[in-house]
Amino acid sequence: TIKHRKEEELGLMTAVLRGSNVSLVLDMSALGSVEPLNVAVVTPREAAAREYLLCAGRPLTRLQLQDVVNNTHKLHAEFAEIPMNFIDPKELDIPNHGTKNRYKTILPNPHSRVILKSKSCNDLLSSYINANYIRGYLGHEKAFIATQGPMVNTVNDFWQMAWQEESPVIVMITKLKEKNEKCVLYWPEKRGIYGKVEVLVNSIRECEHYTTRSLTLKCGNQTRMLQHYWYTSWPDHKTPDSAMPLLQLMADVETDRRSSAAMGPVIVHCSAGIGRTGCFIATTIGCQQLQLEGVVDVLSITCRLRADRGGMIQTGEQYEFVHHALSLYETRLSAETGQ
């Protein structure tokens, strides 16, 4: 039966994924997007991975959330089961796209990638940016854009995307350098012109963990406001000691998003645009779910993020940190509502 076959496929996927983290990355790197692909043959492994990303879930009540935060072994085991959903470079039919990727193995999944409007239909490279639309709470289309930290040759593309997509907020969760370059400085001190977009810095507000810049963007005879948040206290290859600054950042971003005239996606980036970026987006969605449903399903949220952009939430420690942040948020929520 179909049900029996699906169980067999999921069993096969579980077996495949029980290797080390290194083999997990190698095994999963060939997987395509979750949307139907225009190929004649889908291997059982690919089918099982898609099934997992579409169907896996484990809603947690308040008590279960607190319990699972204390059971890190269980969380890490659950995380290791989730297909990475990285794509094969051959799936991106764009000549020389490698010149615009910060990391050669971190590529935008084709079905959800952001396409820049280009003067020439034939110039595929000018329409390419390493960025994906990410669904939000309840599958809200294009709630976020997850992207890599801009490079010297992609800064103009980045601002073109911010303008084209009418983004109200940019969230940057990386230093410019951590051992090596993670992101170039892509905004001006006062005023800068990036391709067709002019960026003006109106004001700067320094907090303990992040800096907020109020920006004006101009293109042609149009003007828009945009808030830029630069979160600098997330350590490289680790997770923060406290989740409080992340929750505060999230609250500020949500306030700005709601009050902004621009209705586009919130742009989130770190260096590769999958690890810390994934944590921020997953925590935001999880908090919304807790607020409205009283439960949270981090497994399902992570699967959905990876369906849109491979590798979102990069490590077991980051997966653990998202649960920790949500547990803290839930405790505050319960205190406020007196439950």
Side-chain angles (χ1 to χ4, degrees), residues 1-10 51:
T1 65
I2 291 172
K3 183 174 182 292
H4 182 64
R5 194 163 72 245
K6 282 183 178 175
E7 285 171 355
E8 277 184 348
E9 288 170 353
L10 284 172
E51 180 80 14

Side-chain angles (χ1 to χ4, degrees), residues 60-78:
L60 300 169
T61 62
R62 175 189 179 187
L63 289 174
Q64 288 170 327
L65 182 59
Q66 289 169 347
D67 183 49
V68 85
V69 166
N70 297 320
N71 190 345
T72 55
H73 176 74
K74 191 173 183 180
L75 275 183
H76 283 254
E78 179 175 277

Side-chain angles (χ1 to χ4, degrees), residues 3-233:
K3 183 174 182 292
H4 182 64
R5 194 163 72 245
K6 282 183 178 175
E7 285 171 355
E8 277 184 348
E9 288 170 353
L10 284 172
L12 174 65
M13 174 54 68
T14 302
V16 167
L17 294 179
R18 285 214 171 107
S20 70
N21 272 347
V22 175
S23 67
L24 172 72
V25 172
L26 292 172
D27 283 339
M28 304 316 298
S29 64
L31 294 177
S33 71
V34 177
E35 300 298 308
L37 292 171
N38 298 321
V39 289
V41 180
V42 177
T43 66
R45 193 183 69 179
E46 288 170 335
R50 291 180 196 182
E51 180 80 14
Y52 193 102
L53 291 177
L54 288 167
C55 302
R58 186 159 71 101
L60 300 169
T61 62
R62 175 189 179 187
L63 289 174
Q64 288 170 327
L65 182 59
Q66 289 169 347
D67 183 49
V68 85
V69 166
N70 297 320
N71 190 345
T72 55
H73 176 74
K74 191 173 183 180
L75 275 183
H76 283 254
E78 179 175 277
F79 177 79
E81 299 279 327
I82 309 170
M84 281 287 185
N85 200 30
F86 286 131
I87 72 146
D88 190 305
K90 291 194 286 287
E91 288 182 56
L92 278 176
D93 192 17
I94 298 155
N96 300 318
H97 68 78
T99 59
K100 289 189 172 187
N101 300 319
R102 183 169 282 282
Y103 304 100
K104 62 182 180 186
T105 55
I106 311 293
L107 303 171
N109 297 55
H111 74 282
S112 58
R113 74 180 180 91
V114 178
I115 297 172
L116 300 176
K117 290 177 182 136
S118 162
K119 280 184 295 191
S120 165
C121 302
N122 302 321
D123 184 6
L124 294 174
L125 191 60
S126 70
S127 68
Y128 176 78
I129 187 166
N130 191 320
N132 288 95
Y133 297 112
I134 306 291
R135 288 166 291 171
Y137 178 58
L138 297 178
H140 171 60
E141 291 292 323
K142 301 182 180 180
F144 302 93
I145 287 173
T147 187
Q148 66 181 16
M151 299 155 62
V152 171
N153 62 321
T154 67
V155 170
N156 289 4
D157 293 341
F158 182 87
W159 286 114
Q160 183 187 337
M161 176 174 73
W163 180 267
Q164 172 185 303
E165 298 299 324
E166 299 187 34
S167 295
V169 183
I170 293 168
V171 182
M172 172 179 177
I173 316 178
T174 180
K175 295 184 180 77
L176 297 174
K177 198 170 170 141
E178 294 163 352
K179 295 194 185 111
N180 48 27
E181 184 192 281
K182 296 288 180 173
C183 180
V184 299
L185 183 68
Y186 59 86
W187 63 91
E189 196 175 334
K190 292 274 174 63
R191 173 182 178 268
I193 295 175
Y194 306 94
K196 292 183 175 176
V197 182
E198 183 181 351
V199 180
L200 302 155
V201 179
N202 306 316
S203 61
I204 303 172
R205 186 168 60 92
E206 302 263 0
C207 301
E208 189 183 348
H209 297 280
Y210 50 92
T211 302
T212 312
R213 283 174 173 80
S214 170
L215 308 177
T216 298
L217 268 54
K218 293 182 179 178
C219 186
N221 55 4
Q222 286 184 287
T223 301
R224 283 196 210 123
M225 298 294 290
L226 183 145
Q227 297 297 318
H228 183 280
Y229 286 86
W230 186 9
Y231 184 111
T232 50
S233 64

